[in-house]
Amino acid sequence: MRVLNYGSLNIDLVYAMPHFVRAGETLASLGHQTFAGGKGLNQSIALAKAGADVCHAGKIGRDGLFLRELLERHGVDTSCLAVTDGPTGHAVIQVDPSGQNCIIICGGANQEITPADVDGVLRHFEAGDVLLIQNEISSLPYLIGAAAAKGMRIALNPSPINEALGEMDLSAVTWFILNEIEGEQLSGKRVPEEICRELLAKYPGSTVVLTLGKRGVLCADGRDTISHGIYDVPVVDTTAAGDTFTGYFLAGVLSGLSPAQCLERASIASSIAIGRAGAAESIPERAEVDEKQALWK
Ligand code: RIB
């Protein structure tokens, strides 16, 4: 069984701001850094650091070759990553003094993925393999349909949520890993337990992992609903906390951990990530997660 993460790769332009820029305002940043990012790339690195064997498929321009090198340094298979003539996707990220962010993405090469590209990648995978997806690349409905037709199991992190995603056929998805806003949009419900119930009714046989910010996380399947709280740590930058959670959660499931163990690991990993600046760079190694797990018991 292999994991294919078909997802975005971005160059993150990160600005430390006294507050988020308001309409009509021009505001000087307190500092600027460039980081590796993209929900896809971040999740591949989290999976790899958590010990999973992962292949990352997607597209970058030549300005993004350092992203490929970063994936390779972490042991991610990049044989399905294409390089095009256009620019790599990028994100403009403001981080305020409390560590919260707001993000503008510009798709670039992430939006150049075609059904023919998808076919070329999927021929290297087979029934039982796992496809992880987010919502930052083109041809997503085609990818979901083609992977399902092959018998691949699909994990969806529907981020960033938009109307198009709400209209896609998600009946082949096995794991939904999402936050409350995404859950509300996909289920039409507001209360966390109702979001889970509605999604399970719409997509029977799936598992719903609903992150609730400071209130922790719920994990529900047809039989049980379990929860896990957060760890109270100083926040530097919340960017990629969700990606860290997704990668660590999925790696845990695939290595045979129980849902409770997966939630614990993923919650610890994302708590460590929010204490550091940047996206991919903030994701902890497995050994750090194990160490904190022993400390925070
Ligand atoms: O989830 C964080 C990521 O969202 C950033 O790295 C940015 O590139 C956007 O894709």
Side-chain angles (χ1 to χ4, degrees), residues 68 108 187 257 289:
R68 184 172 70 185
S187 69
L257 295 185
V289 176

Side-chain angles (χ1 to χ4, degrees), residues 8-12 36-40 42-43 90-93 101 103-105 136 159-160 238-243 278-280:
S8 60
L9 306 97
N10 287 337
I11 299 172
D12 285 357
K39 294 182 196 305
N42 299 337
Q43 292 178 22
H90 74 269
V92 175
I93 305 182
N101 64 44
I103 304 181
I104 299 171
I105 52 171
E136 287 187 337
S159 183
T238 55
T239 311
D243 300 329

Side-chain angles (χ1 to χ4, degrees), residues 95-159:
V95 179
D96 77 3
S98 74
Q100 301 306 307
N101 64 44
C102 57
I103 304 181
I104 299 171
I105 52 171
C106 182
N110 297 311
Q111 291 296 324
E112 283 181 29
I113 293 163
T114 64
D117 293 327
V118 169
D119 289 340
V121 168
L122 290 191
R123 71 189 161 82
H124 301 290
F125 293 85
E126 57 188 28
D129 286 340
V130 172
L131 171 71
L132 170 63
I133 43 175
Q134 311 78 29
N135 190 28
E136 287 187 337
I137 60 167
S138 53
S139 298
L140 202 54
Y142 183 83
L143 172 58
I144 293 172
K150 265 194 117 94
M152 292 178 77
R153 295 174 292 161
I154 301 176
L156 170 67
N157 170 228
S159 183

Side-chain angles (χ1 to χ4, degrees), residues 9 36 41 45 56 60-79 81 83 280-281:
L9 306 97
L41 175 141
I45 291 192
H56 190 101
I60 50 174
R62 295 195 187 285
D63 55 339
L65 289 175
F66 76 99
L67 301 174
R68 184 172 70 185
E69 282 157 26
L70 182 77
L71 286 169
E72 287 168 356
R73 267 208 308 284
H74 287 95
V76 177
D77 174 358
T78 60
S79 56
L81 181 59
V83 181
E281 286 87 347

